[in-house]
Amino acid sequence: AISETTLRTLRYRFLYATARKVTPPHQLPTIVLAHHADDQAETILLRLVRGAGIRGVRGMQPVTQHFAPQLNEYVRIVRPLLDVRQSEIVRYLHDQNVGWREDPTNLSFDYARNRIRHKVLPELIKINPQAVESIVRSAKVLEEGAERMARMDQSLLDSLQIGEMSSQR
């Protein structure tokens, strides 16, 4: 089986190239992705079991920039649906008679994310029906804490810096 990392790299290369083709020159190419709350919970759990620190466990961010080496420039990534459950999206698509495609590899247990999606999250939902929302909310709390700690660290560092000494004229 092809690794998740390889598949993700190929997918993003395609998206970067497409974004550049449709973006006017001198504007930052933007890609809007449909990652949702369920994807966010999977990402957080994956990172947690891999030993991520506070920054890693915060999950995907709604707006980020990634350097696209093949374009030699940054691309903006926007994820507007991170707070929306997949079931809500599917219900909306049904109501609007809009079709979509499911990636057949999403059913393969060869990938860690899929094992979390199909085995771990359903068990967590049995414990707490709001498990996905709770995981996503916890990640936001961690993000806020990480940002607060970074500001405090910077403030402390600034206060400890030694200014020019008067004898060095």
Side-chain angles (χ1 to χ4, degrees):
I2 300 173
S3 77
E4 290 173 282
T5 303
T6 300
L7 291 172
R8 184 174 33 260
T9 299
L10 293 172
R11 184 170 54 246
Y12 276 87
R13 278 186 190 158
F14 169 77
L15 292 171
Y16 293 158
T18 302
R20 175 37 55 214
K21 285 179 190 172
V22 300
T23 303
H26 310 297
Q27 289 186 13
L28 187 65
T30 300
I31 300 168
V32 179
L33 299 174
H35 289 124
H36 46 72
D38 299 69
D39 293 324
Q40 180 75 303
E42 294 163 12
T43 297
I44 292 163
L45 291 172
L46 260 175
R47 291 177 179 178
L48 187 62
V49 297
R50 290 177 176 163
I54 194 168
R55 285 276 182 204
V57 180
R58 67 187 183 146
M60 295 177 280
Q61 299 303 295
V63 179
T64 57
Q65 288 187 21
H66 291 267
F67 186 74
Q70 75 271 25
L71 301 177
N72 197 33
E73 68 178 321
Y74 282 90
V75 174
R76 179 185 303 117
I77 307 290
V78 179
R79 296 177 177 93
L81 303 174
L82 287 177
D83 290 327
V84 182
R85 293 290 312 269
Q86 180 182 18
S87 58
E88 294 175 63
I89 296 168
V90 169
R91 187 172 32 254
Y92 177 83
L93 293 173
H94 276 295
D95 292 348
Q96 301 301 314
N97 293 317
V98 174
W100 70 92
R101 287 192 172 186
E102 288 285 336
D103 182 345
T105 64
N106 285 344
L107 299 175
S108 170
F109 287 102
D110 292 339
Y111 305 107
R113 178 177 293 277
N114 292 345
R115 292 193 300 277
I116 286 175
R117 177 179 297 139
H118 297 295
K119 293 181 178 183
V120 176
L121 265 176
E123 288 299 316
L124 293 174
I125 290 168
K126 287 178 188 174
I127 295 167
N128 174 6
Q130 301 298 312
V132 168
E133 292 86 350
S134 294
I135 292 166
V136 170
R137 187 174 53 254
S138 294
K140 286 180 181 179
V141 169
L142 287 170
E143 171 64 16
E144 290 167 7
E147 287 176 5
R148 191 170 45 257
M149 285 191 310
R151 285 192 306 272
M152 289 170 50
D153 288 349
Q154 187 60 53
S155 177
L156 178 59
L157 182 63
D158 291 346
S159 72
L160 294 174
Q161 288 185 356
I162 300 170
E164 284 187 22
M165 294 174 38
S166 58
S167 64
Q168 295 179 344
R169 291 184 194 186

